[in-house]
Amino acid sequence: MKSILYTELASDFLVQGLGLNTLENAKPTAKVGRHEVELVRTIDELIAFPVETQVIYIGTAKEGPFRAGDVLMSGSDELLDRAFKALDEIEQRGIVVGLSHESDSHQVTLAKEELSEVLQDWKERKISYLCLFLVEPFESDGTAKLVSTIRKIFV
């Protein structure tokens, strides 16, 4: 299966951590586990992909109700399950959040307005997706744990 990665952070940690090949003028790609992985650099590239793809979106979140270094997650059930297992293995705290601007008394929410329309499109097209948000401030240890989590999701 093809997997698309997008990050709000500088992508160097993903390129190095996942061993992505960076050929001149080409998108960084690699085979990780059974997955062909491609790193895209813009939201527009992220939106324009075929249905038989899974998406992993990596972003950041501000401290507040969350602790520095926490991993906040939203996504399809199968990928959320894999993410929880991966986080358990590396003893990292993961919290499932809704990405809506509307407050919900049954779910913790993280307002990510720029993603709401994209997520609706993925849900309608039945795209398998996972959004991971690392709570700031985070150190290189946090990005290393994020790479480990992503690797375990792909296996």
Side-chain angles (χ1 to χ4, degrees), residues 4 8 28 30 39 41-42 52 55 62-63 66-67 69 79 82 95 99 119 146:
I4 304 293
E8 296 174 359
L39 178 66
R41 293 186 167 95
T42 67
E52 55 283 339
V55 178
K62 301 283 185 216
E63 266 190 293
F66 312 110
R67 296 188 305 214
L79 287 177
R82 285 194 218 162
I95 303 166
L99 299 177
L119 292 178
L146 202 54

Side-chain angles (χ1 to χ4, degrees), residues 4-148:
I4 304 293
L5 291 174
Y6 174 80
T7 180
E8 296 174 359
L9 308 167
S11 61
D12 295 346
F13 78 99
L14 283 174
V15 170
Q16 292 173 354
L18 297 176
L20 300 176
N21 301 318
T22 54
L23 301 174
E24 194 172 315
N25 295 327
K27 294 175 188 160
T29 60
K31 183 116 172 133
V32 180
R34 303 169 307 192
H35 298 266
E36 193 177 312
V37 178
E38 181 178 307
L39 178 66
V40 297
R41 293 186 167 95
T42 67
I43 290 285
D44 291 335
E45 288 178 290
L46 184 64
I47 295 169
F49 57 83
V51 173
E52 55 283 339
T53 304
Q54 70 180 10
V55 178
I56 297 181
Y57 182 102
I58 301 164
T60 61
K62 301 283 185 216
E63 266 190 293
F66 312 110
R67 296 188 305 214
D70 281 351
V71 176
L72 310 179
M73 305 178 290
S74 183
S76 307
D77 290 342
E78 179 187 351
L79 287 177
L80 278 174
D81 287 345
R82 285 194 218 162
F84 266 122
K85 287 177 187 171
L87 290 170
D88 281 346
E89 286 180 30
I90 61 172
E91 298 179 358
Q92 173 68 39
R93 184 169 116 140
I95 303 166
V96 175
V97 296
L99 299 177
S100 165
H101 63 281
E102 299 174 18
S103 63
D104 180 350
S105 62
H106 301 290
Q107 186 173 19
V108 178
T109 58
L110 174 66
K112 287 286 187 175
E113 295 300 319
E114 67 279 5
L115 275 181
S116 61
E117 194 172 307
V118 174
L119 292 178
Q120 284 301 95
D121 178 56
W122 292 345
K123 287 176 185 177
E124 288 172 12
R125 293 172 48 199
K126 295 183 178 22
I127 300 288
S128 185
Y129 73 94
L130 178 65
C131 298
L132 299 171
F133 301 96
L134 198 54
V135 177
E136 298 175 332
F138 51 89
E139 315 244 339
S140 60
D141 185 43
T143 55
K145 285 182 178 181
L146 202 54
V147 168
S148 294

